[in-house]
Amino acid sequence: MELQRLAVQGKTLGFVPTMGALHEGHLSLIRKSNQENDVTIVSIFVNPTQFGPKEDLKKYPRPLGKDLRRLRKEKVDFVFLPAAETMYPEGYAAALRKVKVDRISREMSRRLCGKFRPGHFKGVLCVVEKLFRMVRPNRAYFGAKDFQQAALIARMNLKWNLGIQMRVLPTLRENDGLAMSSRNIYLSRKDRIRARAISRTLFWISREILQGKRNLLDIRTQAIKELGKFVDEVQYFEIVEPETLKPLHVRRRDVVVLTACRVGKTRLIDNVIIQQKKPETSNQD
Ligand code: AMP
């Protein structure tokens, strides 16, 4: 296979797994991979095992032609577009049964989004492990936008000694602060305006914490109250320890503030990482 030949030649391979409907956030990962590696491969696969039965698997946007044009423009070397049967020859249920997670990862996967999307992270880990084993990249690129996902994949990478360098890059935002997401196209014009409250509140809370407010329980309560004025449901708003995703009551060191809100029928997630010293790009090996 072509990729193996490249490995033999000592070329470094960067991998950007996506579900398509590419936006600038995805492209920022691809550009970084292009900079840091000899060869970049992007996968587009709308992974059925990470969607719940009532979720948007069927209507998830799949503008394949447009995506391929963008990838060509970015000079991506390989695009991997697997069929569901290629990823899951053993069937979905059998593949999910094979996913083994340690106790800490299991706890982490049940927090935050895991509470509202049971089984979601099992599906994510299932597909990413398969993709990692198929592609065997030197580096893999993920967005901090999906912080919980990146944290769980980083743990899996360590646990299975997959030896891939995990690169987690900052969230790209629209001019008004809304985190870019393939799901933003679901928002009506009015909902799109209401959705601004999500990043606005995260930035406000981030300033409060940076200015020295220490009572995180208090800050969280204020944030939920403020967000609740604009969105239809605040599923969670948590200030957590980055390594374990456990809620913090008092500021100790680096923290991540994460939220998931429903605006109309659309579920949106966002977060801010508040670090003491390090720059915003984190490089988790
Ligand atoms: P998805 O296609 O939604 O599965 O996302 C593919 C990758 O792009 C994941 O690693 C996401 O975290 C990342 N990503 C999604 N949105 C953004 C964004 N706004 N900024 C940076 N990365 C993003």
Side-chain angles (χ1 to χ4, degrees), residues 125-156:
L125 292 177
C126 185
V127 78
V128 173
E129 190 195 337
K130 282 168 175 280
L131 288 166
F132 276 5
R133 292 191 191 280
M134 287 171 172
V135 175
R136 289 194 265 160
N138 299 87
R139 298 189 183 90
Y141 294 78
F142 295 92
K145 154 94 176 6
D146 298 275
F147 188 88
Q148 188 173 12
Q149 165 176 288
L152 283 161
I153 294 170
R155 283 188 66 85
M156 176 186 77

Side-chain angles (χ1 to χ4, degrees), residues 16-20 23 25-26 28-29 50 60 141-146 149 169-173 179-182:
V16 187
T18 81
M19 298 206 301
H23 50 67
H26 296 112
S28 72
L29 308 184
Q50 71 188 66
Y60 196 84
Y141 294 78
F142 295 92
K145 154 94 176 6
D146 298 275
Q149 165 176 288
L169 303 181
T171 301
L172 255 76
R173 299 178 177 282
M180 290 184 183
S181 162
S182 306

Side-chain angles (χ1 to χ4, degrees), residues 200 202-213 274:
R200 195 168 63 232
L202 284 171
F203 297 154
W204 164 54
I205 292 305
S206 169
R207 282 195 304 275
E208 296 276 290
I209 295 175
L210 285 170
Q211 281 163 11
K213 282 247 172 80
I274 304 172

Side-chain angles (χ1 to χ4, degrees), residues 3-16:
L3 290 177
Q4 277 158 355
R5 194 169 56 78
L6 292 166
V8 171
Q9 290 170 352
K11 300 217 163 153
T12 57
L13 179 59
F15 177 40
V16 187

Side-chain angles (χ1 to χ4, degrees), residues 33-84:
S33 173
N34 269 335
Q35 274 170 24
E36 294 182 341
N37 301 281
D38 299 313
V39 176
T40 291
I41 177 165
V42 175
S43 65
I44 299 181
F45 179 60
V46 183
N47 173 36
T49 64
Q50 71 188 66
F51 286 79
K54 292 193 184 132
E55 292 183 357
D56 56 344
L57 172 63
K58 276 216 181 102
K59 73 163 189 176
Y60 196 84
R62 290 168 173 85
L64 187 58
K66 195 169 158 204
D67 284 350
L68 292 177
R69 280 194 294 280
R70 297 192 105 165
L71 294 177
R72 186 163 302 135
K73 216 166 143 199
E74 296 299 324
K75 300 197 170 28
V76 162
D77 302 277
F78 295 93
V79 183
F80 184 36
L81 302 168

Side-chain angles (χ1 to χ4, degrees), residues 111 238-241 245-249 252:
R111 297 182 186 281
E238 299 286 355
I239 305 172
V240 309
E241 189 176 56
L245 308 180
K246 281 188 188 157
L248 291 167
H249 295 170
R252 273 178 270 160

